[in-house]
Amino acid sequence: MKNFILFGPADATADFRGYEPMLRSSTTAQAIFSEIAEVLGIPVDRLIDGEVSHLHPVPLRWYRQMAAMLSVARILQDDVGAAAVYGGISLGELAALHSSGAVPTELVVNFLHERHLRDTDRDEAIGFAFVPAPVDWRYYEQPGRMTISCDYGSIFDGAGRMIMVSGLRSALESARAEGPADLQVVDRSLAHQAYHSPFREPSRQRLESLLKRNALAQPTTPVITAIPGMHALSTGAEAAKALIVSETQPLDVPGLVGALRNHEPDKVYVISSFLRQLEIDFHAPTEYVDDSWLAQKFGR
């Protein structure tokens, strides 16, 4: 069976305590969490829950979600067979490339460390908006103030479009009252920087330097992304370029879906609670591997 596994974006609302039954029952998950914790130099129980004094809460959530997504994907493939193609959106791009063998665990951790901008003096934010059809969703493209950082495309059978907006918090807050849709601005404690935005240029430069020092391997399994013009990755050089470009360029999920159709999967497995809510049409039978899936398999 030709399966596609899609890793979703970082979920600022994820409750990682939902993974505890999996960690109690699965030696696979225990091994993956332990490997990431070892690279971070922290006890594995600190990766699973709680605070770490020298790690900012936002990248710590990235590490936790990365460990959780990789664990779920490995367990899923033990059940249904290896993926014929991987895909990823935002944080999921890195998870897909790791699963394909292109990015080793140590580099995953170092990449996320460099990705977190500690040196910004701007008050930045991200927000999400469902823009009903046929309202002009391009209102949110205002360079210098805010930009559409991820276009999730048409959702709910064409009722409207879901977008992620990145930029100055003041601009996003103003757009809540002045814009054409209800923009939900994410709290600073969960996401305090813009993503896939021109504001990420310092991060892009650091990541470019990191990947020049650490060549990526050729993916052993095809990888598709939401990066415009780079929807299909087949070499280490392409993978490195995509990860760098993704920092400052907006993501295009309809393009990912189009690239997936070329692979004609028999089934799509989506590792994301957030994407379940959007009801994106992947043009193939789709199963969401999220908290509900975990509860069915491992209990609560």
Side-chain angles (χ1 to χ4, degrees):
M1 191 169 183
K2 199 173 181 181
N3 295 327
F4 168 59
I5 293 181
L6 174 64
F7 295 92
D11 184 352
T13 65
D15 179 2
F16 297 101
R17 285 170 293 187
Y19 295 110
E20 290 176 356
M22 175 182 73
L23 287 163
R24 287 195 301 268
S25 304
S26 170
T27 56
T28 296
Q30 292 163 11
I32 290 173
F33 271 77
S34 295
E35 183 179 12
I36 291 178
E38 183 177 359
V39 175
L40 284 168
I42 63 175
V44 69
D45 64 331
R46 293 294 83 194
L47 178 60
I48 295 170
D49 192 23
E51 299 178 357
V52 179
S53 59
H54 65 283
L55 292 178
H56 190 281
V58 170
L60 180 57
R61 293 181 70 86
W62 294 344
Y63 298 133
R64 285 175 175 152
Q65 187 155 355
M66 180 64 67
M69 287 196 296
L70 295 176
S71 297
V72 169
R74 191 83 58 82
I75 293 166
L76 173 66
Q77 290 177 97
D78 287 343
D79 290 346
V80 303
V85 58
Y86 292 107
I89 301 170
S90 193
L91 182 67
E93 294 159 9
L94 193 58
L97 288 167
H98 178 278
S99 295
S100 74
V103 186
T105 301
E106 184 173 3
L107 187 53
V108 167
V109 171
N110 291 339
F111 185 94
L112 293 176
H113 173 76
E114 292 297 331
R115 187 170 186 250
H116 182 240
L117 287 173
R118 302 166 295 280
D119 48 9
T120 181
D121 57 2
R122 294 181 297 263
D123 190 9
E124 301 171 10
I126 63 171
F128 293 87
F130 171 68
V131 185
V135 174
D136 183 8
W137 52 285
R138 290 291 177 181
Y139 162 87
Y140 296 98
E141 191 65 37
Q142 299 182 22
R145 300 181 69 243
M146 60 183 175
T147 55
I148 298 167
S149 51
C150 185
D151 172 18
Y152 287 97
S154 177
I155 64 171
F156 303 145
D157 197 27
R161 199 172 205 93
M162 177 62 74
I163 58 172
M164 183 171 85
V165 180
S166 288
L168 299 174
R169 185 170 293 274
S170 59
L172 268 62
E173 292 289 355
S174 294
R176 295 178 70 174
E178 300 168 2
D182 180 17
L183 180 65
Q184 300 293 320
V185 181
V186 176
D187 186 82
R188 286 184 180 87
S189 64
L190 299 176
H192 65 297
Q193 296 167 358
Y195 296 118
H196 312 294
S197 156
F199 289 162
R200 304 290 301 175
E201 179 59 23
S203 175
R204 189 202 65 77
Q205 293 177 12
R206 285 210 299 262
L207 294 175
E208 183 175 40
S209 177
L210 174 69
L211 294 181
K212 281 182 178 178
R213 302 191 305 271
N214 297 272
L216 301 189
Q218 178 172 325
T220 58
T221 304
V223 174
I224 60 175
T225 79
I227 303 167
M230 305 193 71
H231 291 303
L233 308 177
S234 58
T235 69
E238 288 176 349
K241 183 178 179 180
L243 288 172
I244 294 166
V245 167
S246 176
E247 279 301 290
T248 55
Q249 298 299 311
L251 301 183
D252 165 36
V253 176
L256 179 150
V257 175
L260 172 61
R261 296 185 74 171
N262 294 331
H263 290 273
E264 300 180 334
D266 296 312
K267 190 162 185 179
V268 175
Y269 292 92
V270 181
I271 303 177
S272 172
S273 296
F274 172 69
L275 293 180
R276 177 195 284 274
Q277 302 171 44
L278 304 188
E279 300 180 14
I280 294 171
D281 184 2
F282 291 102
H283 306 286
T286 301
E287 181 175 343
Y288 289 89
V289 186
D290 55 10
D291 294 345
S292 298
W293 184 90
L294 285 170
Q296 289 179 358
K297 187 169 183 65
F298 297 106
R300 296 185 183 276

